[in-house]
Amino acid sequence: MTTPATPSALARAEALYEAGRYEQAGELAARHLAGDPEDAEALTLLARCLHRAGNHPAALAAVEQALRAEPELIGAHLMRTQILLALKRYGEAEAAAHRAVELAPQFWGSHYALGTALAETAQAGRGRDRARLAAAYEAARTAVALGPEEDAAHFLVGLTAQRRGDHATARRAYETTLRLNPQSSEAHNNLSLVRLRRRWLRRGAWTQAAEGFVASAALDLDDRKARFNLEGMAWGVAAGARWVALVGFVAAALGSAPLRTGATGADAFVPFALGAAVLAGAWGGWAVWMARRVPPRLRRPMLLVARNCRPVLAMAAAVGLLGLYSAVAMALWTLDAGVVGGLGTPLFWAVVLTYWVSRSALNRRMPKD
């Protein structure tokens, strides 16, 4: 026979849930329910634990039982909205959120749930229109007005504004989110995405974005979004260097050509000196720019990400080989022109082809959610 838990068991279960120990919290809630199977608060807590564990059908059954026991329990309606969204039952999720707003119109969480349901429905492709997204944005703004210290409400404003193309509002909302909760990995990630849009117009925006992705990845090791965004930035560095490699290749080919064909004096020296200057200047300027753009605190995280990402490694290898070839071609100018051309042309086209192939491979690594 099961011995019912003491009345304080539910409080201990709630504390365990807040500590992230969802399985133990669920076990305590279940023990409590063995003695009081119609306790709506305990059923809702059990639903939350099951939802966290990924058992959404069981979570939905528990929360609906809670609502049968107490039809106006606002926490159960909010939990039901989350579970229905996880099950991709968007229409029912919207209805559940609307019911929460009807029951608690002055509670920020009701409007937050409605805004989330509307935003997720639009993102999933059902009713993807300006009206629905505008309604989600307004619900988020209402949540902020009712709960100005709630970081989740500000984040939702940023998310809906970003999806509407209002990046200035999104940036301010994400910055407010991080002031209220510096540990929000999603806010770090999304703010960095917004900053990347102005990387050519705002000094330091690229570096700030990289720092945000690093912070996001460190705060949530299971979040693939920030890691993918860092991979994208690392690939962008390697892909951007292809222009330097291609310029260096042309400079080396043209600069050493007169020497290889037997020219002497100024006819040989001037082109060679110009080619060497362009080659050294291009790579030297790129190195200085990268040193300023990627400060020491970011180099290790980006290298760790890059070494585990094949598209980045492929792009870097192709660019590096072409750059090395150009330097060797200038240094060993006595080599036969046919040998030099036979090596350089394949490396040149390898960079061009690797760019498109690695870009496609990187896009396939994008998280589905």
Side-chain angles (χ1 to χ4, degrees):
M1 179 178 177
T2 303
T3 302
T6 61
S8 61
L10 203 56
R12 295 202 306 273
E14 186 69 45
L16 286 169
Y17 179 88
E18 293 299 328
R21 297 163 66 179
Y22 307 121
E23 184 177 352
Q24 291 173 282
E27 290 173 357
L28 273 180
R31 287 178 57 197
H32 177 83
L33 287 165
D36 186 2
E38 296 303 312
D39 187 332
E41 292 284 356
L43 285 164
T44 302
L45 177 56
L46 178 61
R48 289 159 61 194
C49 295
L50 292 167
H51 174 63
R52 286 286 189 174
N55 190 350
H56 306 306
L60 183 61
V63 80
E64 289 184 339
Q65 186 180 344
L67 287 170
R68 285 194 294 271
E70 193 172 334
E72 295 190 357
L73 182 62
I74 185 64
H77 283 284
L78 297 178
M79 190 68 245
R80 186 168 182 267
T81 301
Q82 290 186 41
I83 297 167
L84 288 168
L85 286 174
L87 291 169
K88 303 187 186 306
R89 291 162 60 174
Y90 299 107
E92 293 175 75
E94 281 190 36
H98 277 293
R99 179 59 178 154
V101 171
E102 291 173 5
L103 291 171
Q106 297 304 312
F107 177 46
W108 76 272
S110 303
H111 297 276
Y112 172 81
L114 178 59
T116 300
L118 290 166
E120 290 301 306
T121 302
Q123 186 70 6
R126 290 187 54 176
R128 189 188 291 270
D129 54 65
R130 290 182 178 273
R132 178 171 260 112
L133 200 52
Y137 175 68
E138 290 304 322
R141 283 169 52 87
T142 302
V144 165
L146 294 171
E149 298 304 312
E150 300 292 341
D151 61 280
H154 289 280
F155 178 83
L156 186 58
V157 168
L159 182 66
T160 51
Q162 185 178 5
R163 289 179 180 175
R164 297 177 73 198
D166 186 354
H167 300 288
T169 298
R171 176 179 55 80
R172 291 192 296 270
Y174 291 141
E175 288 172 347
T176 302
T177 302
L178 290 172
R179 282 199 297 271
L180 295 169
N181 179 16
Q183 304 303 309
S184 174
S185 63
E186 288 186 316
H188 278 292
N189 182 74
N190 287 16
L191 178 58
S192 293
L193 289 174
V194 172
R195 284 172 170 163
L196 271 182
R197 294 181 58 85
R198 296 179 59 83
R199 62 187 180 276
W200 302 115
L201 304 176
R202 186 175 178 182
R203 185 176 181 181
W206 191 95
T207 303
Q208 289 178 331
E211 289 174 336
F213 290 140
V214 169
S216 179
L219 287 167
D220 188 352
L221 298 178
D222 296 325
D223 186 358
R224 280 283 303 130
K225 294 178 184 177
R227 184 175 182 84
F228 172 78
N229 289 330
L230 272 177
E231 290 173 349
M233 296 189 82
W235 181 86
V237 170
R242 78 189 187 281
W243 296 111
V244 182
L246 294 175
V247 167
F249 170 78
V250 173
L254 295 178
S256 61
L259 283 171
R260 297 185 197 284
T261 56
T264 58
D267 291 339
F269 175 76
V270 173
F272 184 84
L274 287 175
V278 171
L279 178 64
W283 281 109
W286 181 83
V288 170
W289 184 48
M290 282 294 103
R292 295 183 61 182
R293 200 181 198 194
V294 187
R297 63 184 178 276
L298 292 179
R299 291 171 195 167
R300 178 176 171 77
M302 293 196 75
L303 284 173
L304 289 174
V305 165
R307 75 180 187 181
N308 293 315
C309 181
R310 290 183 179 179
V312 176
L313 293 176
M315 192 71 246
V319 168
L321 286 172
L322 186 60
L324 179 62
Y325 162 82
S326 300
V328 171
M330 291 295 288
L332 303 180
W333 51 269
T334 55
L335 286 176
D336 182 77
V339 174
V340 174
L343 289 173
T345 301
L347 290 174
F348 175 92
W349 286 110
V351 169
V352 176
L353 291 173
T354 301
Y355 171 82
W356 293 107
V357 173
S358 64
R359 180 177 180 177
S360 177
L362 182 69
N363 288 336
R364 288 196 296 272
R365 294 170 66 93
M366 183 183 298
K368 300 301 181 184
D369 183 8

